[in-house]
């Protein structure tokens, strides 16, 4: 009996389909009064965010689009057809509203899939169709990689105006219950608004439903791959001032760090749109590169000061007072044994005593030498010896003076190295805090 009932149901469904579409045309709007608008309800379910192309400003998403409307020509009495309340038929059999995505960015401009529609006995039609859409999205990368985006999905009829189709949204927001989480973007919401716009081409109003997709970027990937390496490389730049000037690697370190930051900046520039707004991480790279360029230039200047030769002028008094006293104490730069008596002064004292002793003891030495040679002959040799000793002493004094002058310039360079090292460390720290503060 049940098999016979199922067979009867199948014959009744076939008879119902034949009766419904015997004199039906899917080309005309299915209303009894052509002066009245047909109500079409739209509901969009976001299933997945496939891709966000920031450079081309295109959002690729997977949507489920549900459209419902009333077809006045497709009604029947379910009691006459064995209680059949609904049937599922190909969507090409019935009239469908030409609802499209206005901001479509797909070059093929593909629409929804040709799925079946659910037709009920009272004439209500529900059409659920999945669609992979590419929509244009205005991307603002000012705070990349801590940015958020607002992408609009605007649906509306292409040929029917508001007097023919009254398009409305079923809910105040898009459905996110079946959303598959994206690894890069977090969806904060999808509010829906209905707009009625009068375009310049036509005098009739055209209603549309706009879904605003609120996105926030998950910044962990960019923090660990772009931001943290840049911060660590930036902290290497001030250490160039700590390297000894005789190592020959001070300028090489600055140039290497500058090249590394240039590579990171090129990686960011390849994925960003060529707009006037510079990303936050790009501003950080530019500021850091400017700082490293300045530090390299200062390193070259300080090395020139360090390698001042014997012919250099003495350190000016203002520089000796400002750099060798105040800045040296501020940067904790002290020489070994600087608090004791300096070797230069002790050596100079001994030289002066030797000179005085040589001058005072020459008569005694002459007297002692009288035992082996005449007085006049010994005095002649004594004058020549004194002249040679005086020449040697003068050369030694000039050499010590040159060494003292060169040592003062080297200490000036060392104090400036320490001072600029702390200054640039502070600058890197403040820039890092500023970037993270703007991101927050």
């Amino acid at each position: 009996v049940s098999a016979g009932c199922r067979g009867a149901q199948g014959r009744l469904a076939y008879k119902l389909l034949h009766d419904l579409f015997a004199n039906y045309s899917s080309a005309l709007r299915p209303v009894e009064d052509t002066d009245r608008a047909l109500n079409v309800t739209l509901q969009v379910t976001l299933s997945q965010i496939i891709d966000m192309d920031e450079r081309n400003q295109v959002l690729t998403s997977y949507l489920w689009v549900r459209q419902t409307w009333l077809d006045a020509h497709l009604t029947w009495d379910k009691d006459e057809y064995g209680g059949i309340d609904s049937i599922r038929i190909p969507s090409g059999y019935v009239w469908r509203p030409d609802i499209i995505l206005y901001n479509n960015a797909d070059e093929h401009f593909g629409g929804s899939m040709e799925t079946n529609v659910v037709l009920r006995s009272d004439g209500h039609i529900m059409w659920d169709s999945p669609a992979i859409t590419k929509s244009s999205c205005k991307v603002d990368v000012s705070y990349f990689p801590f940015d958020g985006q607002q992408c609009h999905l605007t649906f509306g009829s292409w040929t029917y105006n508001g007097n023919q189709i009254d398009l409305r949204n079923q809910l105040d927001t898009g459905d996110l219950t079946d959303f598959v989480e994206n690894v890069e973007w977090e969806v904060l919401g999808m509010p829906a608004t209905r707009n009625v716009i009068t375009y310049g081409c036509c005098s009739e109003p055209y209603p549309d439903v706009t879904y605003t997709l609120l996105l926030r970027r998950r910044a962990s990937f960019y923090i660990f791959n772009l931001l943290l390496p840049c911060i660590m490389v930036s902290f290497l730049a001030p250490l160039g001032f700590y390297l000894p000037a005789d190592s020959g690697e001070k300028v090489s370190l600055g140039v290497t760090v500058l090249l590394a930051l240039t590579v990171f900046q090129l990686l960011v520039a390849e994925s960003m749109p060529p707009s006037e707004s510079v990303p936050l991480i790009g501003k950080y790279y530019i500021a850091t590169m400017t700082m490293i360029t300045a530090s390299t230039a200062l390193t070259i200047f300080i090395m020139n000061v360090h390698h001042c030769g014997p012919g250099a002028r003495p350190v000016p008094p203002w520089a000796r007072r400002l750099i060798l006293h105040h800045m040296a104490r501020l940067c904790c730069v002290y020489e070994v044994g600087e608090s004791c008596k300096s070797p230069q002064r002790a050596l100079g004292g001994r030289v002066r005593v030797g000179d005085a002793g040589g001058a005072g003891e020459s008569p005694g030495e002459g007297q002692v030498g009288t035992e082996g040679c005449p007085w006049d002959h010994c005095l002649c040799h004594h004058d020549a010896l004194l002249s040679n000793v005086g020449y040697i002493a003068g050369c030694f004094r000039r050499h010590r003076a040159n060494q003292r002058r060169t040592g003062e310039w080297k200490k000036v360079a060392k104090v400036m190295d320490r001072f600029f090292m702390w200054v640039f460390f502070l600058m890197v720290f403040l820039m890092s805090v500023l970037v993270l503060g703007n991101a927050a």
Side-chain angles (χ1 to χ4, degrees):
V1 176
S2 60
C5 291
R6 287 195 296 270
Q9 287 284 345
R11 289 192 296 270
L12 290 175
Y14 182 80
K15 182 177 182 299
L16 173 61
L17 181 64
H18 181 270
D19 294 343
L20 287 176
F21 293 96
N23 296 316
Y24 181 81
S25 176
S26 61
L28 299 178
R29 189 166 54 98
V31 291
E32 294 180 352
D33 186 3
T34 56
D35 294 333
R36 297 184 60 182
L38 177 64
N39 294 326
V40 177
T41 304
L42 179 68
Q43 177 60 29
V44 172
T45 299
L46 179 63
S47 178
Q48 184 181 2
I49 295 176
I50 299 177
D51 182 41
M52 167 66 87
D53 189 354
E54 292 93 346
R55 189 168 186 83
N56 296 318
Q57 303 188 85
V58 174
L59 171 67
T60 304
S61 55
Y62 179 39
L63 306 176
W64 298 346
V65 182
R66 170 174 290 184
Q67 304 176 48
T68 57
W69 67 92
L70 176 63
D71 194 323
H73 304 311
L74 296 177
T75 60
W76 70 89
D77 186 2
K78 58 183 178 180
D79 295 332
E80 295 181 1
Y81 294 93
I84 297 177
D85 183 58
S86 63
I87 58 174
R88 287 159 177 81
I89 57 177
S91 59
Y93 283 21
V94 300
W95 175 90
R96 294 173 298 179
D98 56 345
I99 305 300
I100 65 170
L101 181 63
Y102 280 175
N103 57 331
N104 198 317
D106 192 358
E107 57 183 2
H108 301 293
F109 212 87
S112 302
M113 293 181 61
E114 296 293 333
T115 56
N116 292 340
V117 298
V118 179
L119 176 60
R120 299 191 180 277
S121 59
D122 56 358
H124 281 89
I125 298 178
M126 183 176 64
W127 182 26
D128 287 336
S129 61
I132 296 179
T133 61
K134 290 185 177 181
S135 58
S136 58
C137 177
K138 184 179 180 181
V139 178
D140 184 13
V141 293
S142 300
Y143 291 95
F144 175 85
F146 306 97
D147 57 329
Q149 305 298 333
Q150 294 185 3
C151 296
H152 302 286
L153 300 171
T154 303
F155 294 90
S157 175
W158 189 253
T159 58
Y160 294 103
N161 55 51
N163 299 325
Q164 298 168 332
I165 287 183
D166 186 13
L167 182 63
R168 295 185 178 273
N169 50 303
Q170 184 176 356
L171 299 176
D172 293 333
T173 180
D175 190 4
L176 300 175
T177 55
D178 298 321
F179 177 70
V180 179
E181 292 292 334
N182 189 269
V183 295
E184 185 179 0
W185 296 96
E186 178 184 0
V187 178
L188 304 180
M190 193 177 178
T193 56
R194 180 179 181 271
N195 307 303
V196 179
I197 302 176
T198 301
Y199 296 97
C201 65
C202 315
S203 59
E204 298 84 2
Y206 281 83
D208 65 66
V209 176
T210 300
Y211 291 88
T212 303
L213 190 58
L214 306 178
L215 303 175
R216 183 172 62 189
R217 192 188 301 272
R218 303 181 191 268
S220 301
F221 174 81
Y222 298 96
I223 289 176
F224 285 102
N225 290 277
L226 291 180
L227 190 58
L228 284 182
C230 176
I231 294 177
M232 290 187 290
V233 169
S234 301
F235 274 101
L236 282 178
L239 292 177
F241 292 106
Y242 194 74
L243 280 175
D246 297 330
S247 65
E249 299 293 334
K250 295 170 71 69
V251 179
S252 300
L253 177 62
V255 174
T256 303
V257 172
L258 187 62
L259 291 176
L261 290 178
T262 304
V263 172
F264 282 118
Q265 188 185 21
L266 289 177
L267 291 176
V268 174
E270 287 179 356
S271 59
M272 293 295 101
S275 61
E276 294 183 356
S277 59
V278 181
L280 181 63
I281 191 172
K283 295 178 181 178
Y284 180 70
Y285 284 164
I286 293 174
T288 307
M289 291 170 66
T290 304
M291 182 200 69
I292 294 175
T293 303
S295 67
T296 306
L298 286 173
T299 299
I300 296 173
F301 171 75
I302 293 173
M303 288 182 64
N304 190 20
V305 173
H306 176 83
H307 291 287
C308 284
R313 293 182 298 177
V315 178
W318 65 268
R320 183 180 291 106
R321 183 171 55 254
L322 176 64
I323 298 177
L324 297 183
H325 291 82
H326 300 292
M327 290 179 60
R329 292 178 181 178
L330 180 65
C331 300
C332 300
V333 178
Y334 297 104
E335 297 292 342
V336 178
E338 194 174 33
S339 58
C340 304
K341 189 176 181 181
S342 61
Q344 289 88 346
R345 293 179 181 176
L347 184 59
R350 287 194 299 269
V351 171
R352 287 192 297 270
V353 170
D355 294 343
E361 293 175 359
S362 56
E365 291 177 357
Q367 292 174 0
V368 174
T370 56
E371 297 177 358
C373 64
W375 172 261
D376 295 336
H377 183 69
C378 291
L379 185 59
C380 179
H381 284 285
H382 183 69
D383 291 339
L385 182 61
L386 287 179
S387 176
N388 292 331
V389 170
Y391 175 76
I392 294 174
C395 291
F396 183 74
R397 292 192 193 98
R398 288 192 297 271
H399 177 69
R400 295 297 298 175
N402 291 336
Q403 281 188 340
R404 185 167 55 251
R405 190 181 306 120
T406 303
E408 286 182 349
W409 282 116
K410 287 184 177 181
K411 187 177 180 181
V412 168
K414 187 175 181 180
V415 173
M416 293 176 66
D417 266 334
R418 295 296 185 273
F419 175 75
F420 284 118
M421 182 186 71
W422 292 115
V423 167
F424 280 94
F425 264 129
L426 181 62
M427 290 175 61
V428 172
F429 177 76
L430 291 179
M431 284 193 299
S432 303
V433 171
L434 184 62
V435 169
L436 297 178
N438 287 334

